[in-house]
Structures are given as structure tokens and as C-alpha cells.
């Protein structure tokens, strides 16, 4: 599996707009190639982290253009450019092993 972790900063005065904006983007997120998990979390001060887990690096690379669109759609709420880091190892800590 492969992961992208993005930190972002939403304008705290616009946090009430987050749910509607995220709702509009859900279908795009579900359509990402090879997507396994896509979670985003944020605090009252607007700092947030988005984690996307893919089945493999090739899927993550293929998803890059769609992610650019997703972040572009979300950018009106941001007060600075998001920062993305890539990770080539993941572990699902809740997965039950057979």
C-alpha cells in the first residue's frame, strides 16, 4: 500500500462551510483509482490533516491529477497551500489477521 498525507490550513472563520464542501467532493474522492481509505480531520483553529491510502504506488500516481482537482475545489477555504508527503509503507492497525 501507499499513502499521501496532506496538512492544510482552513480559514477558521469558514469552518462552517467545511461539511458542505466535503460533501460536494465525496464522489470525486470515491472515484480515485486504487483508493482504500481517505480521511480528513481538522481542529477549531483550522489546522487539518488528510490521509489517503492506495492499493499501490501506481494508483497513487494515477490519482494525482484528480487530487489536484479536489484540492483546487477546496482551495477557496484554505489560507495557505497544502503540503503533501508521500509514504511507501502503511499498516492498518485495526485489521484482523487470520
Amino acid at each position: 500500500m501507499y499513502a499521501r498525507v496532506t496538512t492544510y490550513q482552513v480559514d477558521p472563520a469558514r469552518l462552517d462551510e467545511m461539511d458542505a464542501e466535503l460533501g460536494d467532493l465525496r464522489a470525486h474522492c470515491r472515484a480515485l483509482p486504487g483508493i482504500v481509505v481517505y480521511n480528513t480531520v481538522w481542529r477549531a483553529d483550522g489546522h487539518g490533516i488528510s490521509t489517503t491510502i492506495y492499493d499501490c504506488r501506481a494508483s497513487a500516481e494515477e490519482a494525482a491529477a484528480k487530487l489536484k482537482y479536489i484540492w483546487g475545489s477546496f482551495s477557496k477555504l484554505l489560507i495557505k497551500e497544502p503540503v503533501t508527503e508521500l509514504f511507501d509503507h502503511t499498516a492498518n492497525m485495526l485489521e484482523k489477521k487470520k
Side-chain angles (χ1 to χ4, degrees):
M1 294 217 254
Y2 195 78
R4 291 179 189 272
V5 177
T6 302
T7 55
Y8 59 92
Q9 174 71 49
V10 172
D11 179 350
R14 300 187 73 185
L15 284 176
D16 59 335
E17 298 174 52
M18 286 278 288
D19 283 334
E21 198 62 39
L22 293 174
D24 291 344
L25 293 173
R26 276 191 172 86
H28 294 286
C29 296
R30 287 186 188 112
L32 291 170
I35 193 78
V36 176
V37 174
Y38 193 156
N39 284 322
T40 192
V41 298
W42 62 95
R43 311 186 289 231
D45 65 1
H47 283 92
I49 298 174
S50 178
T51 304
T52 51
I53 310 275
Y54 299 89
D55 59 357
C56 65
R57 182 181 187 138
S59 293
E61 290 171 353
E62 183 181 343
K66 291 180 181 181
L67 278 171
K68 187 174 181 177
Y69 169 82
I70 290 169
W71 282 105
S73 297
F74 195 66
S75 66
K76 64 185 174 199
L77 300 179
L78 300 177
I79 58 175
K80 64 181 182 179
E81 193 74 25
V83 176
T84 300
E85 294 185 64
L86 307 174
F87 296 86
D88 53 7
H89 296 281
T90 68
N92 181 345
M93 301 305 289
L94 299 179
E95 180 181 39
K96 293 182 182 186
K97 297 289 183 175
K98 294 181 182 180

